[in-house]
Amino acid sequence: MASCSQPNPDQPDLLSSLPDELLIKILSSLPTHMAARTSILPSRFRHLWEASPCVHLIAFCHEEFITMFNRELRLRNPSHPLVSLSLEYSGSPLPVSFRHSLCAKVSSFGVQHLTVRGRHLIPIIPMISSINCLQSLSLPVINFEFDQFPSGITLTCLKSLSLELHSFYSKARIGQFLSELCCLEALQLDTSYIDSLSLSSQSIRKLKLIMHSTLILHSVSLILPSLESLHLEIQEYFNCNLFHIHGEVPMLQRAVISLNCVRARDVSAITRLLSFISNVKELSMCLKEPQDEKHPIPFLFEPGKDVPNFHNLKHLDVHLCMHEHNFEAVIIMLHNCPNLE
């Protein structure tokens, strides 16, 4: 039976030899309730966790969340900068007065990175839209038809945004919303239950688009003249055709494409997709056939149609079932990549 070894008084205390700056950095990577446990250590460590520039609050009930807020934010020493704040709450609805106090405190500390998780935190979203110091923002499921984001938002410093869109009506409001974010450079959208999607922005340089339940999705339009990196991941589109993607992405340099359950009927859409991104320098593709397909199908290029030319492509990474049809298609594609390294 294993027993705990007694500390050796002659062994140096390596933890105590670390500088405060490094200890604070280590503590900042932990959820706040775990970092706070270091307060039982010797006096030098007792208040180190309070100086962490990152606060991560996780609570499952009303009283617990308010208590943590009062301890970590309301009573926080103003001399300790708060750079990143993550809020996860799954309890009952919070009082309106508390929501206002929460957002006011976030603004007063000049928080740059904010993550919000939990449907009962959604009511604070209109208040968040006026916190000018935010540089990155990650939000839970949004239904734009409920005007959770008012017009005329003032997120003038926001450079990175992550959203979940699960609504038929979100598609129109998302376009207006993005047009108001003049400094946005990185966008991640996790979508489901929409029939079309149109994104337009002059500033977005990086886009990650994850799509679920695309049963009724017909088309995706991307008017993103500054886009340099595209990550397109389609996880579910059973019993429906793959949508068509179109638009303008003249600056695109890198593309990652991941498609599940590709069928013979999707070959036209895949050909259009490859034509759409044919000016990239780096391309990674993962195309998976469904298990119920009886015969290998050619889906990389449409038979009898012109194959796109990839004049700028230097790096190619392809994951797909290498049966005869696809092997021939890859060879044809390589012939159209004169600068491949």
Side-chain angles (χ1 to χ4, degrees):
M1 183 175 181
S3 59
C4 295
S5 60
Q6 296 297 320
N8 184 352
D10 297 326
Q11 185 176 3
D13 183 1
L14 298 180
L15 185 63
S16 296
S17 67
L18 297 177
D20 287 355
E21 293 78 10
L22 181 55
L23 290 171
I24 291 173
K25 187 173 182 178
I26 294 173
L27 292 174
S28 68
S29 65
L30 299 174
T32 301
H33 70 278
M34 296 179 64
R37 295 174 185 172
T38 59
S39 60
I40 65 173
L41 296 176
S43 57
R44 181 199 168 199
F45 298 90
R46 193 159 298 160
H47 299 287
L48 274 181
W49 67 276
E50 297 176 353
S52 171
C54 304
V55 171
H56 187 179
L57 302 184
I58 305 175
F60 302 96
C61 70
H62 180 114
E63 295 79 7
E64 180 186 17
F65 189 76
I66 293 179
T67 299
M68 294 178 70
F69 166 78
N70 288 334
R71 174 68 191 274
E72 320 306 343
L73 295 181
R74 190 187 297 275
L75 302 179
R76 185 181 178 88
N77 189 334
S79 65
H80 297 153
L82 181 57
V83 178
S84 177
L85 175 62
S86 178
L87 305 173
E88 296 188 36
Y89 175 64
S90 56
S92 57
L94 297 166
V96 175
S97 58
F98 174 77
R99 299 199 298 260
H100 282 281
S101 177
L102 171 62
C103 292
K105 208 64 180 175
V106 171
S107 181
S108 67
F109 275 111
V111 173
Q112 297 177 19
H113 311 287
L114 177 63
T115 299
V116 177
R117 290 289 179 265
R119 64 187 183 92
H120 288 305
L121 288 177
I122 289 179
I124 72 172
I125 292 177
M127 307 171 199
I128 291 174
S129 66
S130 61
I131 302 178
N132 293 328
C133 53
L134 288 179
Q135 295 184 17
S136 72
L137 179 61
S138 179
L139 295 175
V141 177
I142 301 297
N143 289 323
F144 278 102
E145 69 270 27
F146 296 124
D147 294 327
Q148 290 164 344
F149 264 110
S151 299
I153 58 177
T154 58
L155 298 173
T156 54
C157 295
L158 193 67
K159 294 183 178 180
S160 177
L161 175 65
S162 177
L163 290 176
E164 296 180 26
L165 302 179
H166 294 192
S167 168
F168 292 108
Y169 304 98
S170 298
K171 59 180 183 179
R173 184 67 181 93
I174 184 65
Q176 179 184 350
F177 176 61
L178 291 178
S179 68
E180 298 174 353
L181 300 175
C182 58
C183 295
L184 189 66
E185 296 181 358
L187 173 64
Q188 176 173 327
L189 287 180
D190 195 321
T191 71
S192 61
Y193 303 110
I194 57 176
D195 57 356
S196 64
L197 182 65
S198 179
L199 303 178
S200 178
S201 170
Q202 297 295 316
S203 59
I204 292 178
R205 301 171 59 187
K206 183 177 181 179
L207 173 63
K208 185 172 185 179
L209 189 57
I210 304 174
M211 315 193 81
H212 311 265
S213 304
T214 60
L215 183 63
I216 60 171
L217 183 61
H218 303 301
S219 67
V220 172
S221 174
L222 303 179
I223 309 298
L224 305 171
S226 300
L227 189 68
E228 298 177 358
S229 176
L230 171 65
H231 181 121
L232 177 62
E233 182 177 337
I234 305 175
Q235 299 186 350
E236 303 171 14
Y237 60 103
F238 303 106
N239 301 319
C240 63
N241 295 331
L242 180 63
F243 62 84
H244 290 285
I245 185 169
H246 56 93
E248 299 175 11
V249 287
M251 301 300 292
L252 191 64
Q253 302 291 311
R254 296 172 296 278
V256 176
I257 308 297
S258 178
L259 307 179
N260 288 325
C261 295
V262 177
R263 299 180 183 272
R265 64 191 179 211
D266 300 322
V267 62
S268 176
I270 292 176
T271 301
R272 292 189 184 186
L273 173 59
L274 292 175
S275 297
F276 178 71
I277 61 173
S278 61
N279 61 324
V280 295
K281 293 182 178 179
E282 300 177 19
L283 174 59
S284 177
M285 293 191 300
C286 180
L287 309 179
K288 297 180 180 180
E289 300 179 21
Q291 297 295 324
D292 58 354
E293 285 288 346
K294 296 182 179 180
H295 306 286
I297 56 174
F299 55 75
L300 195 55
F301 297 116
E302 192 170 6
K305 300 290 186 179
D306 291 336
V307 177
N309 290 307
F310 297 86
H311 294 295
N312 300 321
L313 193 63
K314 294 185 177 181
H315 178 87
L316 175 63
D317 185 10
V318 180
H319 296 257
L320 75 168
C321 182
M322 276 297 181
H323 54 66
E324 179 182 0
H325 296 299
N326 285 338
F327 186 72
E328 292 177 356
V330 170
I331 292 176
I332 294 173
M333 184 175 183
L334 292 177
H335 280 296
N336 287 25
C337 303
N339 295 307
L340 194 65
E341 298 177 356

